[in-house]
Amino acid sequence: MGEAPSTLDELARRAGKWLSLSAAATQRHTAAVAADRFDRITWRDTYEQSAALRELAEELNERYDHTHRDVYDHTHRDAYGRTHQDAHGRSRQDAHGRPSARPSTHTTDLLTDVFLAAYKVNPRLRERTEMDASRLVNHQVITSLVESPEFAELRRETAGDPYAAAMAVLAQATALRRMLEATRDAQDKAEQAREAQQDTERAATTVAEALQQAAAETAETAGAAEADEDGAAPTPDGAAAVQRTIEAAEAAQAAAGQAAQSAAQALTTAAPGIRAAARHAAAKAAEGARAEAALMRAWGVGPGELERMPFDRRARLAERLRTSRLAEWAELIGRFRQMADGERARRVENATGELVGVTLGNDLSRVIPSELANLGLPALRAVFAARYAAGELMLYDSQGEQTTGRGAIIACVDTSHSMYEAGPGGITREAWAKACALALLDQARHAGRDFVGILFSAADKLKVFRFPADRPADIAHVLDFAETFLGGGTSYQRPLSAAGGLLEEEFNDAARMRGDIVMLTDDDCGVTQEWMRGWNDAKHRLGFRVFGVAIGAPRVAEADSVLDALCDNLRAVEDLTDVHAAADLFRVI
């Protein structure tokens, strides 16, 4: 045991290292990503809203965490926002001071760290030396994730977006399982290192208690005045007790050092596999996040709308878009919207439009080059002036493309059985028609015009979807419009009568005229002469235009077809991969 100390002062010097260790025992962290109160609230709220996150946490806890021991200091909050028992036995409490029913584990801490690393704009990782030994595996996993270039790509989609960050966690679930499986040995050794460290801390506390006891015994034996002096001698029993606790603490520290070295070696062995799995996980999550973001953009759901959308509603929307047949249309819809945006950017009101020949006039902006050449000859300048005054200069003639519509835009979409037929690239006629209709919905929103989608087939099958200009287009209503398919035959009279009735209603209610009707169909069918007279009267009275698109059926666009007689402007689309076949619609509507 060595020579007994002669004074309390000397005894305290020998125990000094253990006294400082006891005081510093609660400074280690169990979270690898530094987070403030608002970050923890965001995680807690997201966790409570996501059943999938909770299920994943339950599964990982059950499979990979068999200790269920608390390692938290008295300032740490777990994934559920609750404070847990520290190394000194303080009782666990939740945020309201009530006893906590459930501690966090290294697996739930790992999910928290993955979420915060994806969510925080500038995530900061704690140093390894700041971490609790039982969370060093988590620290290695998060470090590998954050340092990978794939994770930087992922964060472009997830930073500041709790929903996207949660989806990133779920997308990495398979890789997290593999990493936890591969690091079982390292985690077991980390737990042993943590227990050994706790043993050392308890031994340090015992040293402090033994020193206090020795001081008390000395005061009782020699008198309080003498005990207060630095040179007071401890009792032999008290000095021996302190010496024994110091030796026990040294032994515990040596065991803790060996356990920490063993844990470090196991983690070093596992590190390459963790890094590879982390890169793969981040790449998969980034791909999924980009795909979902592209899907939302294709359907016209902007970032602002997504941020305001409740978590569960956004999750249901994403699931609906991913799993229904609408997912197959996303790329086509996106190309239609991109094309329409480009045509809107190109369009200039009152533009001269397409050149179709030469005419006479005095518009100097359209004078042909041979006329301008006369100005270079002094003898012909007087002739040029005379012809200009008479309006007899030769000018390029053009067919103007200018917007005249002010009333509602109405898309009549054929959903008869034949529209389900696929064309080039596997695109169905229905998909092309509805993608065009959704781009027309965008066109109406940009122009501040009402939009109406009329789905039709046989005379007894019709469904009307209204999108007023003064209200946001509800995405669920848009999807209902896109998903609905009636089947059956084809009738023109009922959908066109419904469209004419809506324009009549608009004129009576708001005195708006000059609406636009777009007929998207692949079939030609007859109409009665009486109905045709009423149709023409309505067109003359309300000033609306009718555009026709014959999809995958060029014969429907022939000059003697019923559709040609009904429409002011008709075109045929044979290649369903070509969205530019309808480009002129977005310049003139």
Side-chain angles (χ1 to χ4, degrees), residues 169-214:
V169 174
L170 295 173
Q172 296 174 89
T174 300
L176 291 175
R177 293 186 189 96
R178 285 201 299 268
M179 284 188 277
L180 288 169
E181 190 67 40
T183 57
R184 276 186 186 272
D185 180 60
Q187 184 61 41
D188 287 344
K189 286 182 168 57
E191 292 286 349
Q192 293 168 12
R194 185 262 298 168
E195 291 174 0
Q197 182 61 36
Q198 284 186 334
D199 288 343
T200 303
E201 292 168 0
R202 283 191 289 267
T205 301
T206 303
V207 171
E209 292 171 349
L211 183 62
Q212 291 175 352
Q213 180 65 29

Side-chain angles (χ1 to χ4, degrees), residues 402-434:
Q402 47 188 289
T403 299
T404 60
R406 290 295 178 268
I409 297 176
I410 301 178
C412 296
V413 181
D414 186 350
T415 59
S416 60
H417 284 310
S418 59
M419 289 290 287
Y420 206 70
E421 182 179 332
I427 298 172
T428 65
R429 297 174 180 181
E430 178 205 10
W432 196 98
K434 286 182 175 173

Side-chain angles (χ1 to χ4, degrees), residues 154-170:
L154 170 64
R155 293 189 64 260
R156 292 181 182 179
E157 303 292 342
T158 61
D161 186 339
Y163 169 86
M167 293 302 105
V169 174
L170 295 173

